[in-house]
Amino acid sequence: MDGYLYILESKRNGRYYVGSTNDLERRIGEHNNGEEKATKGLVPLSLVYSEKYDTLLGARRREHQIKKYKSRKIIEKIIMGP
């Protein structure tokens, strides 16, 4: 089963949210419908970056790696690419 790492940006205040899922469209919908406690105050959100993995585990590992950085600058570098 494929996995996806994704980064959402709040149109309200510019904050980023990093997550992973096996169904990207469904997950973004859940965030924007206010179904997720972590992003409820950030809606509306837009997808600014995603990476596809062969497994959900691969996507989760990448999510944790990015979250460990705790750096907006690093997230912005990832979004902008090489």
Side-chain angles (χ1 to χ4, degrees), residues 55-72:
T55 64
L56 182 56
L57 180 60
R60 294 264 158 101
R61 286 181 175 154
R62 179 69 167 139
E63 174 190 356
H64 291 288
Q65 178 187 42
I66 292 171
K67 285 183 173 179
K68 280 193 325 186
Y69 295 138
K70 297 182 181 180
S71 171
R72 181 179 179 87

Side-chain angles (χ1 to χ4, degrees), residues 6-82:
Y6 62 92
I7 301 176
L8 303 176
E9 182 178 13
S10 171
K11 292 181 181 180
R12 176 180 284 182
N13 61 14
R15 288 183 59 191
Y16 294 110
Y17 177 82
V18 179
S20 57
T21 185
N22 61 351
D23 185 340
L24 193 55
E25 286 184 36
R26 174 190 53 81
R27 193 70 175 127
I28 293 169
E30 290 172 350
H31 284 291
N32 276 316
N33 290 332
E35 298 174 34
E36 295 302 319
K37 186 178 177 181
T39 57
K40 201 171 200 174
L42 301 177
V43 294
L45 296 153
S46 62
L47 179 68
V48 292
Y49 183 80
S50 68
E51 294 176 1
K52 185 176 179 180
Y53 290 84
D54 292 335
T55 64
L56 182 56
L57 180 60
R60 294 264 158 101
R61 286 181 175 154
R62 179 69 167 139
E63 174 190 356
H64 291 288
Q65 178 187 42
I66 292 171
K67 285 183 173 179
K68 280 193 325 186
Y69 295 138
K70 297 182 181 180
S71 171
R72 181 179 179 87
K73 287 182 181 180
I74 290 175
I75 290 173
E76 288 173 344
K77 282 184 182 181
I78 292 168
I79 293 167
M80 299 305 278

